[in-house]
Amino acid sequence: MLFNRVPVINTLPFPYQILRSKRARLVRLRVTSQQVEVIAPHGVSEQSIHRFVSEKQDWVLSTQERLKNRRENLRSLAPATYTHGALLPYRDRSYPLVIVPVKRKKITLEFTGHFIASVPHTLLEADLHEAIRSAFTRWLKLEAKRMVEQCVDKHAARYGLYPRSIKIKTQKSRWGSCGVYNDINLNWLLILAPPEVLEYVVVHELCHIKHRNHSSQFWELVAEHMPEYKTLRQWLKINGGHLLMGL
């Protein structure tokens, strides 16, 4: 979705930002524990938007508090330390990490049913945690891109749903998006979910190439590709918070 962003407004107990959308028909709120966004059509005045948000401020505050409490109760999927024997998350499971000292300058990672980190033997133990965490994150992003491209190859040709580009991004609150020129962005943290959940999000964004909304026709097209999409969508609603905590 293409947005024109308006600077943050600060006259309420919380700041909010206006996002002007060509596709929006009504003013609506998008609330996370950390930010409030108002998605509005271009023809709606800022005065009307401010009045709308003012009327909703009690709901916004209670929603933010609820989301904050939920986030505080979430358990991170990341290990406490990236050391030998740590369990690393990948595709809805955890796999042990094996550290092998080698005469190299960079850490390399491979997966063979468990993770093997080939680590420079000169690396100080104090630097091990962050170095492996960074290497693991890079590996996961590349793996996410590979899997997303596989899903696109699997589903795009069926109804001519070809994206102009595919990008893997770090996003705090969104799993994916499809721009007006059919550029698809996917959250790399989906690689921590079951493979079929990642596939559902890819299909979801591909279907926006044909339907720029969440109409019944859109969901029918999603179901054509993945009849079980409701179960996968529900999994993401229930478990997505853990994934979004990142590594």
Side-chain angles (χ1 to χ4, degrees):
M1 184 179 291
L2 183 63
F3 292 117
N4 290 329
R5 292 182 177 270
V6 177
V8 170
I9 311 297
N10 292 293
T11 57
L12 288 170
F14 50 85
Y16 68 89
Q17 188 170 43
I18 301 172
L19 281 68
R20 298 287 186 175
S21 169
K22 292 181 179 180
R23 301 214 311 255
R25 295 293 177 265
L26 299 171
V27 179
R28 62 184 177 90
L29 287 164
R30 185 160 65 198
V31 179
T32 71
S33 60
Q34 298 176 323
Q35 65 181 8
V36 178
E37 295 176 333
V38 186
I39 300 167
H42 286 277
V44 180
S45 69
E46 288 189 26
Q47 183 179 5
S48 296
I49 292 171
H50 187 72
R51 184 165 57 249
F52 171 80
V53 180
S54 297
E55 292 171 354
K56 298 287 186 180
Q57 66 176 298
D58 289 343
W59 176 83
V60 170
L61 290 169
S62 63
T63 300
Q64 283 194 314
E65 183 65 21
R66 176 171 52 82
L67 292 173
K68 180 181 177 182
N69 291 337
R70 181 189 298 175
R71 184 174 180 84
E72 289 174 350
N73 292 325
L74 288 175
R75 176 183 57 83
S76 173
L77 298 177
T81 57
Y82 285 82
T83 53
H84 189 83
L87 295 176
L88 305 189
Y90 174 55
R91 298 176 67 167
D92 197 36
R93 294 185 62 184
S94 295
Y95 298 91
L97 171 66
V98 176
I99 297 177
V100 180
V102 294
K103 292 182 178 180
R104 296 178 187 168
K105 292 184 178 181
K106 293 183 178 180
I107 293 177
T108 59
L109 213 69
E110 59 180 316
F111 179 74
T112 59
H114 58 273
F115 286 99
I116 302 174
S118 298
V119 177
H121 66 94
T122 55
L123 186 67
L124 297 176
E125 187 173 349
D127 299 327
L128 192 63
H129 169 84
E130 183 57 31
I132 294 180
R133 189 196 68 80
S134 296
F136 182 52
T137 299
R138 289 193 299 271
W139 186 90
L140 288 173
K141 289 179 179 180
L142 290 173
E143 186 69 5
K145 184 172 178 60
R146 183 185 68 80
M147 289 189 63
V148 166
E149 290 173 346
Q150 283 184 350
C151 292
V152 171
D153 289 343
K154 176 180 176 181
H155 291 280
R158 187 173 182 182
Y159 294 107
L161 306 176
Y162 293 105
R164 185 176 73 165
S165 66
I166 304 168
K167 293 183 180 178
I168 305 300
K169 290 191 170 183
T170 299
Q171 301 181 103
K172 293 183 177 180
S173 60
R174 303 183 71 184
W175 296 116
S177 62
C178 178
V180 293
Y181 300 109
N182 300 336
D183 298 299
I184 287 181
N185 301 313
L186 280 302
N187 192 328
W188 70 269
L189 290 168
L190 285 165
I191 197 64
L192 304 181
E196 58 271 22
V197 171
L198 180 148
E199 184 177 357
Y200 155 68
V201 177
V202 173
V203 165
H204 185 114
E205 301 309 331
L206 286 177
C207 289
H208 276 313
I209 292 175
K210 186 171 183 179
H211 299 290
R212 303 287 180 175
N213 49 44
H214 290 99
S215 62
S216 59
Q217 291 87 352
F218 167 80
W219 291 114
E220 287 169 5
L221 183 58
V222 172
E224 286 283 332
H225 289 269
M226 300 193 77
E228 74 282 20
Y229 81 87
K230 290 183 180 179
T231 300
L232 304 174
R233 188 180 179 210
Q234 185 65 16
W235 187 98
L236 205 51
K237 286 183 176 181
I238 294 171
N239 300 283
H242 297 284
L243 274 59
L244 288 172
M245 294 184 73
L247 302 176

